[in-house]
Amino acid sequence: MALVVQKYGGSSVASADRIRRVAERIVETKKQGHDVVVVCSAMGDTTDELLDLAEQVSPAPPAREMDMLLTSGERISNALVAMAIHSLGAEARSFTGSQAGVITTSVHGKAKIIDVTPGRLREALDEGTIVLVAGFQGVSQDSKDVTTLGRGGSDTTAVALAAALEADVCEIYTDVDGIFTADPRIVSDAQKLEQVSYEEMLEMAACGSKVLMLRCVEYARRYNVPVHVRSSYTDKHGTYVYGSMEDIPLEQAILTGVAHDRSEAKVTVVGLPDEPGYAAKVFRYVAEAEINIDMVLQNISKVETGKTDITFTLPKSDGVRAVEMLSKYQGEIGFSQVLYDDHIGKVSLVGAGMKSHPGVTATFCEALAEAGINIDLISTSEIRISVLVKDTELDDAVQVLHRAFDLGGDEVAVVHAGTGR
Amino acid sequence: MALVVQKYGGSSVASADRIRRVAERIVETKKQGHDVVVVCSAMGDTTDELLDLAEQVSPAPPAREMDMLLTSGERISNALVAMAIHSLGAEARSFTGSQAGVITTSVHGKAKIIDVTPGRLREALDEGTIVLVAGFQGVSQDSKDVTTLGRGGSDTTAVALAAALEADVCEIYTDVDGIFTADPRIVSDAQKLEQVSYEEMLEMAACGSKVLMLRCVEYARRYNVPVHVRSSYTDKHGTYVYGSMEDIPLEQAILTGVAHDRSEAKVTVVGLPDEPGYAAKVFRYVAEAEINIDMVLQNISKVETGKTDITFTLPKSDGVRAVEMLSKYQGEIGFSQVLYDDHIGKVSLVGAGMKSHPGVTATFCEALAEAGINIDLISTSEIRISVLVKDTELDDAVQVLHRAFDLGGDEVAVVHAGTGR
């Protein structure tokens, strides 16, 4: 007998009919003799509808109240799923994040899980009950207020519960069949991966893969939670995210896939004095605007001027703010100008195999060059190569790299209706 | 400076626009220098929509889950009102019933408030914050599960909070101008009452008046909470429900109003042996079916048969069940037949003045007789006369009695759009 945690996303519980189907799957799992814990997101577009209502009522709603409002969505869906399970003859009980013992920081809207104390859940499970927990939420350790966890929060809730309850697996149900070697909507012969190590999944998530959010994978890795990403439309196995790439024998290490990201923009601070402290000033000001930076590049300075340029990428939604902040302090920092480009795309090759295969970087750049795709910036890690290209060339770049590294297969990838979350 | 508790019903917060208007009124009250606590019902039809979703997902949803589901409605409306208040420049924070310290019994769907420990609310008020509390809910003392309080639960929440916080007044905002001498939709010259004692309001509520639920008035009376029933559409004063009728000098005691009730049916158990224990059996079986009985009448037995008839009234929705229960045990109880009539209406005259004015009962019956309205049953208390008539004659009966006791005034009652809740 195992303890299984299952997470169902918004489209999986979008209607009474979908809810009943999810309930059937849950009861089926229970009948196999397992303890079952389920985390559901809010139904379909509920969260967006609540956000819309909030906007109608107030231009800048306080974050605390936004969390009180939004958490209603998950409360509703989990209670309904519990009811559906009950109508199939099994016992089920739903809990809020607070009741489930999900303790978080106080940052409304993007709280982090500090601890999980699932005593009430354990009791219910021991009574043979199927347990449902509202995803995306917890309770603040300090203020005892309700908090939400930010995008992908329900996945994080599921993994955190799996860790606290020492579950045998955390199944993330979504509307794609698993994690692919590339986005199947761009690369028709993208392959479903059988297994991916935590580190590789972290890179994929950081490089734009939207199937699992970064925080969720970090949590899974820290507590060694086996995650199974699979489709809620079929019974097929999906992709297991498990294990450290350190455990993969060098000869077996492969290249995992190609990720892409359209959400970033590029800022270049031109003509910064190449002396200690100047780069630090740039990043301090950007950080004070609470902007997260992704790639950073500083090349060697120009001998004749003693000045250098620093380029970094950031979410497009923060682009204007970053430029305003830097322009405001231009005198203080001492650069000559700020350049901004939001027509970029990032494409990345990820894989533990990179470490043991020399020439990957060469093959990477050659493939893009042959396709006439210009590389703007290159940034690498031990198991990843990322480049910036023109956003109009992003899809081509993904296909070219996927082909160059022979990641495709014979089967054409199946894409289910839905937006891939 | 006073502490004011305000309750707004579903139609008062039915849309973003209505929510903003309610927020304006709340902020206005705060600006007058008072501490303000607000209880809101769910927006408009939310509760019905959630009930509908539940039905689609399960034919007989477990009561615990129904409470988890339904309480989302109040959470949403109170968070939105808090946001609207904030956008007007005032501080506001919303709380669930549980967070507000509303402790209840464990009976899901119709929990009773056991205690209110409003520590968190008190802290927030002391910080100058406007406090919002989700109505209609609390937390069970035993199981720590979320519970709902039954119909009119938000009124009860408001009064209970007012009692616990020792508020100066509990304002119940609704879409009628106050409590009238009769339903203004039936009697065009019905008068708005300035003040009504607790006991008279209890009788009015028990006799069909839907403005305030019985439990809410009982709570107000027990803790001496002044209740002000008024319209959310105007600034006019409404009706104060306050004080004991014992405190009204006999000469000043008046007749308060005429209430009516269409929701009941009548059951007659015919030919019951007129000996000790038989009536008790009838009521024991009905009670075991968890049916609440209202009026009960047993007249003297017929000399020649030694048998008697017992008649009682009950909610129409329980009628069929009661008849089935009694029929099932007919042999055991020993009556000859059960009669059922759901075409009845109950009309009642209420007023402390009844005690000191002889002839009220006579005037009552004469007025109905003159109008050709037949009285089926009569039942009285110290301050109330109730009779059953044919449901088709109910409106006439109300008008006739209202006129007979000179309760009308010169102004025609104004009825606002809305269903009077």
Side-chain angles (χ1 to χ4, degrees):
Chain A
M1 188 188 82
L3 196 159
V4 177
V5 175
Q6 299 183 333
K7 179 263 177 175
Y8 294 93
S11 54
S12 299
V13 294
S15 68
D17 186 61
R18 295 288 307 147
I19 285 175
R20 294 194 60 79
R21 287 183 192 283
V22 156
E24 282 163 17
R25 186 187 282 265
I26 294 168
V27 171
E28 192 47 50
T29 310
K30 176 74 182 159
K31 280 184 173 158
Q32 288 161 18
H34 306 308
D35 277 346
V36 186
V37 173
V38 179
V39 174
C40 293
S41 300
M43 289 173 72
D45 295 326
T46 301
T47 307
D48 288 335
E49 287 165 5
L50 289 172
L51 282 166
D52 192 60
L53 254 179
E55 236 174 275
Q56 287 181 52
V57 137
S58 165
R64 179 199 185 276
E65 297 305 320
M66 189 60 92
D67 279 357
M68 283 293 273
L69 178 71
L70 295 183
T71 47
S72 309
E74 284 73 23
R75 190 188 193 91
I76 290 170
S77 60
N78 283 278
L80 287 171
V81 174
M83 290 179 185
I85 291 172
H86 181 263
S87 75
L88 294 169
E91 290 297 313
R93 225 177 296 164
S94 72
F95 297 88
T96 60
S98 169
Q99 293 172 325
V102 179
I103 319 288
T104 74
T105 60
S106 309
V107 185
H108 288 288
K110 39 187 182 173
K112 287 197 162 84
I113 297 178
I114 296 174
D115 194 11
V116 179
T117 54
R120 273 176 92 169
L121 304 190
R122 199 60 263 178
E123 272 176 33
L125 288 169
D126 291 343
E127 290 170 21
T129 306
I130 293 168
V131 161
L132 287 105
V133 179
F136 182 53
Q137 57 183 252
V139 66
S140 153
Q141 190 173 55
D142 302 327
S143 64
K144 304 284 180 279
D145 283 332
V146 167
T147 53
T148 58
L149 306 178
R151 299 217 73 158
S154 290
D155 292 348
T156 309
T157 299
V159 171
L161 287 173
L165 292 163
E166 294 175 332
D168 295 83
V169 67
C170 180
E171 297 180 330
I172 303 285
Y173 284 91
T174 179
D175 32 5
V176 291
D177 284 348
I179 294 156
F180 285 77
T181 49
D183 188 331
R185 289 169 298 184
I186 297 179
V187 177
S188 56
D189 65 339
Q191 291 287 286
K192 190 191 74 179
L193 296 159
E194 285 302 306
Q195 181 171 338
V196 180
S197 69
Y198 289 126
E199 293 89 348
E200 288 167 309
M201 193 61 229
L202 279 170
E203 288 284 6
M204 300 271 278
C207 295
S209 167
K210 293 191 174 30
V211 182
L212 284 180
M213 293 289 122
L214 196 61
R215 181 164 327 147
C216 158
V217 186
E218 283 174 344
Y219 212 105
R221 176 171 160 239
R222 186 161 26 132
Y223 294 97
N224 254 340
V225 176
V227 176
H228 184 184
V229 178
R230 56 192 302 199
S231 165
S232 58
Y233 290 86
T234 77
D235 284 326
K236 290 193 284 189
H237 274 244
T239 303
Y240 281 90
V241 180
Y242 186 63
S244 170
M245 69 179 183
E246 305 296 331
D247 301 331
I248 307 172
L250 273 184
E251 323 78 59
Q252 283 176 37
I254 55 162
L255 295 171
T256 300
V258 180
H260 70 282
D261 193 341
R262 277 179 226 283
S263 71
E264 298 199 329
K266 182 182 70 171
V267 172
T268 302
V269 179
V270 179
L272 201 62
D274 187 22
E275 289 163 38
Y278 282 91
K281 274 192 204 173
V282 168
F283 295 123
R284 176 55 51 206
Y285 280 116
V286 171
E288 267 168 27
E290 289 189 11
I291 293 170
N292 284 325
I293 290 180
D294 179 22
M295 298 164 78
V296 176
L297 277 123
Q298 177 181 331
N299 217 329
I300 58 172
S301 62
K302 300 181 184 15
V303 172
E304 52 277 14
T305 60
K307 297 212 193 269
T308 185
D309 303 337
I310 290 183
T311 296
F312 59 89
T313 63
L314 72 175
K316 271 181 192 166
S317 48
D318 291 332
V320 170
R321 238 167 13 100
V323 171
E324 282 175 354
M325 175 66 96
L326 289 168
S327 304
K328 190 167 156 190
Y329 293 104
Q330 182 167 0
E332 265 187 68
I333 304 172
F335 54 83
S336 55
Q337 64 173 156
V338 175
L339 304 177
Y340 181 68
D341 183 359
D342 63 357
H343 291 137
I344 61 164
K346 185 169 92 173
V347 62
S348 312
L349 178 72
V350 177
M354 215 170 290
K355 295 196 291 182
S356 52
H357 289 75
V360 169
T361 312
T363 308
F364 188 103
C365 297
E366 282 162 4
L368 290 176
E370 261 163 56
I373 297 169
N374 193 43
I375 295 172
D376 192 16
L377 281 173
I378 305 177
S379 176
T380 65
S381 81
E382 203 182 22
I383 58 168
R384 168 187 54 84
I385 303 170
S386 294
V387 300
L388 294 188
V389 299
K390 276 216 250 311
D391 57 0
T392 47
E393 293 176 341
L394 188 58
D395 286 6
D396 284 343
V398 172
Q399 289 161 358
V400 158
L401 291 169
H402 197 266
R403 206 174 309 125
F405 290 97
D406 211 22
L407 294 169
D410 306 315
E411 288 178 43
V412 173
V414 176
V415 181
H416 297 284
T419 52
R421 170 86 61 123
Chain B
M1 190 188 81
L3 196 159
V4 177
V5 175
Q6 299 183 331
K7 178 264 177 176
Y8 294 94
S11 54
S12 299
V13 294
S15 67
D17 186 62
R18 296 285 311 146
I19 284 175
R20 294 194 59 80
R21 287 184 192 282
V22 156
E24 281 162 19
R25 188 188 281 264
I26 293 167
V27 171
E28 191 48 51
T29 311
K30 177 73 183 160
K31 281 186 170 153
Q32 288 161 18
H34 306 307
D35 277 346
V36 185
V37 174
V38 180
V39 175
C40 293
S41 300
M43 289 173 72
D45 295 325
T46 301
T47 307
D48 288 335
E49 288 165 4
L50 290 172
L51 282 166
D52 192 59
L53 254 180
E55 236 174 274
Q56 287 180 51
V57 138
S58 165
R64 179 198 185 278
E65 297 305 322
M66 188 59 91
D67 280 358
M68 283 292 274
L69 178 71
L70 295 182
T71 47
S72 309
E74 283 74 22
R75 189 188 192 91
I76 290 170
S77 60
N78 283 279
L80 288 171
V81 174
M83 291 179 184
I85 291 171
H86 182 263
S87 76
L88 293 170
E91 291 297 315
R93 224 178 296 165
S94 73
F95 297 88
T96 59
S98 170
Q99 293 172 325
V102 179
I103 319 288
T104 74
T105 60
S106 309
V107 185
H108 288 288
K110 40 185 182 175
K112 287 199 163 82
I113 297 178
I114 295 174
D115 193 12
V116 178
T117 54
R120 273 177 92 171
L121 304 190
R122 195 67 259 177
E123 274 176 33
L125 289 169
D126 290 344
E127 290 170 21
T129 306
I130 294 168
V131 161
L132 287 105
V133 180
F136 181 54
Q137 57 183 253
V139 66
S140 152
Q141 191 173 53
D142 302 327
S143 64
K144 305 284 181 279
D145 284 331
V146 166
T147 52
T148 58
L149 306 177
R151 297 217 74 153
S154 291
D155 292 348
T156 308
T157 299
V159 171
L161 288 173
L165 292 163
E166 294 176 334
D168 295 82
V169 67
C170 179
E171 298 181 330
I172 304 285
Y173 284 92
T174 179
D175 32 5
V176 291
D177 284 348
I179 295 158
F180 284 77
T181 49
D183 188 331
R185 289 169 297 184
I186 297 179
V187 177
S188 57
D189 65 339
Q191 291 285 288
K192 189 191 74 180
L193 296 159
E194 285 301 306
Q195 180 171 341
V196 181
S197 68
Y198 290 126
E199 293 89 347
E200 288 166 310
M201 193 62 230
L202 278 170
E203 288 285 6
M204 301 271 279
C207 295
S209 166
K210 294 190 175 31
V211 183
L212 284 180
M213 293 289 123
L214 196 61
R215 181 165 327 150
C216 158
V217 186
E218 283 174 345
Y219 212 105
R221 175 171 161 240
R222 189 163 20 136
Y223 294 97
N224 254 340
V225 177
V227 176
H228 185 184
V229 179
R230 55 191 304 197
S231 165
S232 58
Y233 290 85
T234 78
D235 284 327
K236 288 193 286 190
H237 274 246
T239 304
Y240 281 91
V241 179
Y242 186 62
S244 170
M245 68 177 183
E246 306 295 332
D247 300 332
I248 307 172
L250 272 185
E251 325 78 59
Q252 285 176 38
I254 55 161
L255 295 170
T256 300
V258 180
H260 71 281
D261 192 342
R262 278 179 225 280
S263 71
E264 299 199 327
K266 182 182 70 169
V267 172
T268 303
V269 179
V270 179
L272 200 61
D274 187 22
E275 290 163 37
Y278 281 91
K281 275 193 206 172
V282 169
F283 295 123
R284 176 56 50 205
Y285 280 117
V286 171
E288 268 169 28
E290 287 188 14
I291 293 169
N292 285 324
I293 289 180
D294 180 24
M295 297 165 80
V296 176
L297 276 123
Q298 177 182 331
N299 218 329
I300 58 172
S301 60
K302 300 182 182 15
V303 173
E304 53 276 11
T305 60
K307 298 212 194 269
T308 185
D309 303 338
I310 290 184
T311 297
F312 59 89
T313 63
L314 74 176
K316 272 181 193 167
S317 48
D318 291 334
V320 170
R321 242 173 2 106
V323 171
E324 282 175 354
M325 174 67 96
L326 289 168
S327 305
K328 191 167 155 191
Y329 293 104
Q330 182 165 2
E332 264 186 69
I333 304 173
F335 54 83
S336 53
Q337 65 174 157
V338 175
L339 304 177
Y340 182 68
D341 183 0
D342 64 358
H343 291 137
I344 61 164
K346 186 169 91 172
V347 60
S348 312
L349 178 71
V350 177
M354 214 171 291
K355 295 196 291 182
S356 52
H357 289 74
V360 169
T361 311
T363 309
F364 188 104
C365 297
E366 281 161 6
L368 290 175
E370 263 162 55
I373 297 170
N374 192 42
I375 295 173
D376 191 18
L377 280 173
I378 304 177
S379 174
T380 66
S381 82
E382 202 182 23
I383 59 168
R384 167 187 56 82
I385 303 169
S386 294
V387 299
L388 294 188
V389 300
K390 277 215 254 308
D391 58 1
T392 47
E393 293 177 339
L394 188 58
D395 286 6
D396 284 343
V398 172
Q399 288 160 359
V400 158
L401 291 169
H402 197 266
R403 206 174 308 123
F405 290 98
D406 210 25
L407 294 169
D410 305 316
E411 290 179 41
V412 172
V414 175
V415 182
H416 298 283
T419 51
R421 175 76 72 113

